[in-house]
Amino acid sequence: MAAPRSPPRARERERSRAPAAGSDQVHSWTLATSQALDTIWRMAKGFVMLAVSFLVAAVRYFRRLHLYSGHKLKWWIGYLQRKFKRNLSVEAEVDLLSYCAREWKGETPRTKLMRKAYEELFWRHHIKCVRQVKRDNYDALRSVLFQIFSQGISFPSWMKEKDIVKLPEKLLFSQGCNWIQQYSFGPEKYTGSNVFGKLRKCVELLKTQWTEFNGIRDYHKRGSMCNTLFSDAILEYKLYEALKFIMLYQVTEVYEQMKTKKVIPSLFRLLFSRETSSDPLSFMMNHLNSIGDTCGLEQIDMFILGYSLEVKIKVFRLFKFNSRDFEVCYPEEPLRDWPEISLLTENDCHYHIPVF
């Protein structure tokens, strides 16, 4: 028996329901795919953002590390340079006119005067170079002693006859100079019963170094030794204090001669005529003790220094250019056989070494 046939309307509804079901299935697949792609994109975007953030942080870190390392490296380089570089108190030779052009720029009257003075040194006195000397209250003593050592100048005649190491005790025991205990070592301002021991060590160092330099005939070797010695501040200051004491000893000796009515050099008559240096004690307290501390050498001190070391100190006073005081000598009337050393100054306070 044949199955009953569906009515036409029922068949039409079944046909229309079948495509709708297929469309829903496609839509669900599309939605799922879109959601999956959106999830993957969000994950990829988050990963990329994380990677970029990490990269930026890494760049900033390494940049800071680079700056920090560069700063520390620069500090260490500077430290090592300061540690191992010789701090020369007398610098190497530089061209005189180049030095003048660098130091004296402009068109002021003083600048023009100084340039003319340097040109005078270059063309008339044949000074081609200059050695700059460290600016402090020892620079006159430094300039003189450097040239004595570098030129190999021998001891003064009176030093060859006496043991200068024993001079501090000689002043105390032979001449009764108890006041020497008030001697001041420049900025140290040391006084006391042990002053004789300190002075003895200073004078002994001066004698040893002077003997060593005088025994070297090679000019370049003496120059190399000067560079070594004049880069040691502690040794330098001991030598300068020894020179100060030598000056004091000579003042004391001449003062004793004056008391016995002996003829003394005119420069010492001028020294003792001043109220502040009427005797060795006042000279030491009012003048000598300040050298190296608050002041350098005055002109009268330059006379005494030249006399004590038996050297003719010629000084070119550039600020006195075109006057009779442009070129002066300390002492004014040295003995003929005294060696000559030269200094130049722009203000009578600080000195440099001219090189002929």
Side-chain angles (χ1 to χ4, degrees):
M1 185 171 176
R5 298 181 63 182
S6 300
R9 291 183 178 179
R11 288 198 297 270
E12 289 178 2
R13 283 197 299 269
E14 290 177 1
R15 290 194 198 101
S16 62
R17 195 178 292 128
S23 177
D24 291 342
Q25 189 175 9
V26 171
H27 178 72
S28 63
W29 274 105
T30 301
L31 181 61
T33 302
S34 176
Q35 291 176 346
L37 290 175
D38 185 58
T39 302
I40 293 173
W41 167 247
R42 286 198 302 269
M43 293 177 61
K45 183 178 179 181
F47 177 78
V48 170
M49 293 297 294
L50 181 63
V52 170
S53 300
F54 176 79
L55 182 61
V56 170
V59 169
R60 289 179 178 175
Y61 171 78
F62 284 109
R63 185 172 180 273
R64 290 178 181 177
L65 181 63
H66 173 72
L67 293 175
Y68 176 79
S69 302
H71 175 74
K72 296 300 290 185
L73 180 61
K74 184 178 180 180
W75 185 89
W76 276 105
I77 290 175
Y79 171 79
L80 293 176
Q81 286 178 341
R82 294 190 300 271
K83 185 74 174 176
F84 296 104
K85 180 183 178 180
R86 285 181 177 176
N87 184 25
L88 296 178
S89 59
V90 179
E91 298 183 12
E93 300 175 7
V94 295
D95 180 76
L96 183 74
L97 295 183
S98 298
Y99 169 79
C100 172
R102 184 177 72 246
E103 296 293 323
W104 294 98
K105 300 177 182 179
E107 297 299 327
T108 65
R110 179 172 174 79
T111 298
K112 293 179 180 179
L113 177 71
M114 298 305 292
R115 286 203 294 260
K116 289 180 180 179
Y118 274 105
E119 290 173 0
E120 175 82 0
L121 294 181
F122 185 86
W123 294 111
R124 184 174 179 181
H125 297 276
H126 309 292
I127 297 174
K128 304 304 179 183
C129 298
V130 61
R131 283 180 175 270
Q132 291 180 259
V133 178
K134 180 181 177 180
R135 289 176 176 264
D136 61 15
N137 290 317
Y138 284 115
D139 60 358
L141 295 172
R142 180 181 292 112
S143 301
V144 170
L145 189 62
F146 181 91
Q147 292 185 79
I148 289 176
F149 284 175
S150 63
Q151 295 179 25
I153 296 174
S154 61
F155 283 107
S157 58
W158 68 270
M159 283 190 186
K160 298 176 182 178
E161 301 169 358
K162 298 178 181 180
D163 184 2
I164 62 173
V165 177
K166 298 179 181 179
L167 294 184
E169 286 82 357
K170 181 178 183 297
L171 286 183
L172 175 63
F173 298 112
S174 300
Q175 298 176 231
C177 301
N178 294 322
W179 45 262
I180 201 174
Q181 296 185 43
Q182 301 177 66
Y183 182 94
S184 179
F185 293 81
E188 186 178 345
K189 291 185 173 61
Y190 178 90
T191 58
S193 59
N194 196 38
V195 69
F196 300 100
K198 288 178 70 66
L199 281 173
R200 183 185 179 95
K201 290 179 180 179
C202 292
V203 175
E204 186 175 13
L205 176 65
L206 176 65
K207 180 181 179 180
T208 302
Q209 293 292 331
W210 202 330
T211 302
E212 185 176 359
F213 276 96
N214 183 241
I216 298 173
R217 294 291 172 258
D218 184 82
Y219 172 80
H220 297 288
K221 186 175 181 180
R222 288 199 305 268
S224 177
M225 290 178 60
C226 278
N227 289 338
T228 301
L229 176 61
F230 287 86
S231 62
D232 189 327
I234 296 177
L235 292 182
E236 273 193 77
Y237 295 148
K238 289 181 179 179
L239 293 173
Y240 306 146
E241 291 302 324
L243 291 181
K244 285 170 53 180
F245 173 75
I246 294 298
M247 294 167 62
L248 177 62
Y249 174 79
Q250 283 295 317
V251 169
T252 306
E253 286 283 287
V254 174
Y255 184 74
E256 294 297 320
Q257 295 172 11
M258 185 183 70
K259 290 197 302 183
T260 60
K261 306 302 180 180
K262 292 183 178 179
V263 178
I264 64 173
S266 58
L267 69 97
F268 287 100
R269 289 199 300 269
L270 174 63
L271 175 71
F272 296 135
S273 67
R274 302 189 305 179
E275 292 184 1
T276 57
S277 58
S278 57
D279 54 42
L281 173 58
S282 59
F283 169 69
M284 183 188 76
M285 297 299 296
N286 297 322
H287 298 278
L288 199 68
N289 279 353
S290 300
I291 296 175
D293 181 20
T294 59
C295 67
L297 266 63
E298 300 177 3
Q299 283 189 283
I300 188 66
D301 301 323
M302 296 289 283
F303 280 109
I304 299 171
L305 179 63
Y307 178 87
S308 301
L309 303 180
E310 293 186 358
V311 293
K312 176 183 177 182
I313 305 174
K314 180 187 289 186
V315 180
F316 296 97
R317 305 168 74 201
L318 305 188
F319 67 103
K320 294 289 186 178
F321 179 63
N322 275 341
S323 74
R324 59 180 298 180
D325 295 325
F326 174 66
E327 182 181 339
V328 296
C329 292
Y330 307 106
E332 292 179 339
E333 300 176 356
L335 298 180
R336 291 182 179 179
D337 58 345
W338 284 8
E340 179 179 299
I341 60 178
S342 298
L343 310 178
L344 65 84
T345 178
E346 298 172 347
N347 51 18
D348 265 354
C349 295
H350 299 290
Y351 295 84
H352 296 308
I353 300 173
V355 181
F356 293 84

